[in-house]
Amino acid sequence: MQSQAVLTGETEQLTKVEVLKFYLWKMDYEFIMEGIVAFLLGLVFLYKLRGRRNTKALVNNLENETLKSSTNGMCQPEDMAKSTDIIIVGAGVAGSALAYTLAKDGRQVHVIERDLNEPDRIVGELLQPGGYLKLIELGLEDCVDDIDAQRVFGYALFKDGKSTKLSYPLGSFRSDVSGRSFHNGRFIQKMRNKAATLPNVRLEQGTVTSLLEEKGTVTGVQYKTSSGQVLKAYAPLTIVCDGCFSNLRRSLCNPKVDIPSCFVALVLENCNLPYPNHGHVILADPSPILMYPISSTEVRCLVDIPGQKVPSISNGEMTKYLKNTVASQIPPELYSAFMATIEKGNIKTMPNRSMPASPCPTPGALLLGDAFNMRHPLTGGGMTVALSDIVLLRNLLRPIKNLHDASSLCMYLESFYTLRKGASSIIFPIIKAEGDQPEEKADECTDIIIVGAGVAGSALAYALAKDGRHVHVIERDLNEPDRIVGELLQPGGYLKLMELGLEDCVEDIDSQRVYGYALFKDGKSTKLSYPLESFHSDVSGRSFHHGRFVQKMRNKAATLPNVRLEQGTVTSLVEVNGTVKGVQYRTSTGQTLKAYAPLTIVCDGCFSNLRRSLCNPKVDIPSCFVALALENCKLPYPNHGHVVLADPSPILMYPISSTEVRCLVDVPGQKVPSISNGEMTQYLKTTVARQMPSELYSAFMTAVEKGNMRTMANRSMPASPYPTPGALLLGDAFNMRHPLTGGGMTVALSDPVASTINTLAGALYKVFSASPDPSRKEMRQACFDYLSLGGVCSNGPIALLSGLNPRPLSLVLHFFAVAIFGLSRLLLPFPSPKNMWIGARLISGASGIIFPIIKGEGIRQMFFPVTMPPHYRLQSTLLCITKAEIHNPKDLIFRCIYYLFKENM
């Protein structure tokens, strides 16, 4: 009653909204705790049933049973060589591009196409610049190479003998961005061949006759092979993109097909267009005529005829119509070629279909491409729409590991239908009111200023510039950095590097592949491999010299014409009426200048002198690293990071080149032994050396004798931003965590998805550090033994550490699983009072480790981001929302909801 009175007294001071938020938080917290307790008690029950010796086998069995149950009872054919994640019906532009991008993300894809011969179509031959940008984003831009594709820079419009040229506004894009025109079949074959090179793409010729359904859920397809055999294929998700003649669309949408006109197609040979490298549109009578180059010697001519009925080709009506009605309206430069083509008689016709998207959301299936949505082909927008849809769908599917929950996936993918309606991606509007401009103006139009050209700044500059932004990067020192951290990129970070198109920055710098970790304690060791089975073979961790990696990224960003990379020290932000308008900086020659842009992004690292203007920094220094480079030695587990659970705190080792191993000795607190007076050498020889793996002892002692030692304070700082108009924080300037887990670059490349990696880093450091407390000793041993069990007990935590699984709840569950595992060893088979006391302190200590870290990260931000106030949530989505303007406020809302959902799945 007393507590109820206190609660009532407190809530009386709150508004109704605050009371609602309080109870929502309370309900969610209780739900999580109940889930944790149920999960952990289940582990204890399993342990009690079989004993410690059989735990590893039980866990593996549990993992297998979970996999079986997750398929919702769907039968899988016995002759399936491997599990299929997604079936794609159709291998045209949409199907081939989708297969490639999903397979690159690690999905097992089965593509079924009715005819794998080169298509012969009269449309799908013009790719607009917006579509080419999407092709770049998907990594398929080389599919327009070596097919005699022609660059298209705009349109020429003809009417009544007059003409005008309309050029694409490409000034802010890199030089290779333009439209492309080509033979449709050549382009499609290039895409098919590229998709088929991936080992997890199965491209098969066959005709899909029907969808397989079970209780309203599509579970796969039935198809007839090229040899006539009828087979069934199963997958959690089937994507139908078999074109305008789709025989499956009626099962998945409400098609309302209109045929406003037909195209009559010819190929004009060896003629020159009045406006080279432009599409030509003649406003003829009764409807337009379209022409564009499809090779270096051919021009496609499409004559539009209204209605569904065209003159007959066989009886000569079409030839007569073209000569009498159309030829007189052709530009004189093309008249002879047009008449010669008519005489040859190679004329084709095609009805022009228009069909608005009208989906029936169906669990287990999705429509895409012309099977889903068509428009009149006059503007050549079909492939651009399809490729834009593919980028959106890829981004929606990326965070989802398990596709088997068909009903939930269907509800989630309904956002695809809403989000695709926008003409392009959106960024928040920057409205410049008249009279609110700074008195001084930049020499050139700058969209974004980036302060700092480290990992975060360089990657961001490249990504934004590729999207057409004019970026000004100011870095205090453009010489190669010499740092002792930022040398290990987790697989999750490498995936983000691939997504940004920067994966080649780890090449030619003697970087080393990293496939997991080796853990050492008291003379024992265990290997923990990254769970990379479902990813492309190129995906792994990478370790390298930090400076070489940063220089590669800087150089790649600087190759873009709309990136200006300048050496200078930013001294302050320039503000007008509370809005950041730019920065003041000092150049390398000492000159003080100002630079202006609508948005300034500060990512100048852990020593940022601007962060206090944009956040409330609470920097903690739990320990320091002492760094050495061990030369010409072999690690006990090649291509693995090595963590020694030493006393008083961990030692970390990993290769940074083919001949060097980085050794980082953690020293708790902010004070380390002096290097200058020999205290550090003595400490390393007497305290640390004896705890090194025997294979590395000699190399370690040699490195100590050389004396090339460096120290660095390990900083931890939760993100605590002040939402500031015109400015944003990123990277270590915004958020830091203990570097033990090597998660810093992964967080920077993923931002702002950070809570899981931050919490894991802080928790692991405390668990791995030695303590005289018996409960902490037991927790440390339990962690080592739990990870040694293998299966889900090692894959789960390593997936979290590697950035492959960003789910905070998985982290909490595994953390308390370790605690319960330690507790069960103390209490089984017969608990003693001493062990019961240690066990109670173990659980209490575990809670004391994890919950303060979660509190620092923010419970709501971490577990329930959708309950955060809009200005906090919007800040976490801005870097995902790129290019173009907002024409409808609803578009921004839907886009933000999508990215918030996506980032926290």
Side-chain angles (χ1 to χ4, degrees), residues 351-394:
N352 295 324
R353 292 172 171 81
S354 175
M355 185 185 77
S358 182
C360 303
T362 306
L366 197 72
L367 273 170
L368 202 70
D370 283 351
F372 173 49
N373 179 210
M374 293 179 282
R375 77 288 313 146
H376 195 287
L378 175 69
T379 60
M383 290 188 289
T384 299
V385 171
L387 293 170
S388 299
D389 283 351
I390 288 165
V391 171
L392 173 58
L393 182 59
R394 176 200 66 181

Side-chain angles (χ1 to χ4, degrees), residues 6-19:
V6 171
L7 178 60
T8 304
E10 290 176 351
T11 55
E12 284 177 353
Q13 306 299 320
L14 304 175
T15 66
K16 291 181 179 180
V17 174
E18 289 171 329
V19 172

Side-chain angles (χ1 to χ4, degrees), residues 379-442:
T379 60
M383 290 188 289
T384 299
V385 171
L387 293 170
S388 299
D389 283 351
I390 288 165
V391 171
L392 173 58
L393 182 59
R394 176 200 66 181
N395 292 341
L396 280 168
L397 289 174
R398 251 181 185 160
I400 303 174
K401 303 299 181 186
N402 185 356
L403 300 173
H404 287 87
D405 189 346
S407 58
S408 297
L409 182 63
C410 179
M411 293 177 63
Y412 174 59
L413 289 181
E414 282 187 44
S415 59
F416 167 77
Y417 301 120
T418 301
L419 295 168
R420 73 179 297 274
K421 292 179 180 178
S424 58
S425 303
I426 306 164
I427 194 168
F428 62 98
I430 302 172
I431 303 173
K432 299 179 181 178
E434 189 172 347
D436 192 29
Q437 299 297 319
E439 295 179 1
E440 302 177 63
K441 294 187 178 180

Side-chain angles (χ1 to χ4, degrees), residues 83 114-115 126 212 243 285 300 305 334 354 359 379 395 435 517 553 590-591 642 697 772 833 872:
S83 172
R114 65 169 66 94
D115 185 359
L126 178 60
L212 301 176
D285 185 2
R300 171 67 72 194
I305 298 180
L334 300 171
S354 175
T379 60
N395 292 341
Y517 280 85
M553 297 183 80
Q591 187 180 9
H642 290 53
Y697 179 84
Y872 285 105

Side-chain angles (χ1 to χ4, degrees), residues 556-590:
K556 185 156 187 179
T559 61
L560 300 180
N562 44 340
V563 172
R564 178 186 172 196
L565 183 57
E566 182 179 8
Q567 184 164 310
T569 302
V570 175
T571 54
S572 63
L573 300 172
V574 176
E575 292 191 32
V576 177
N577 298 328
T579 297
V580 173
K581 296 292 185 179
V583 299
Q584 179 172 293
Y585 67 104
R586 190 171 59 248
T587 69
S588 55
T589 61

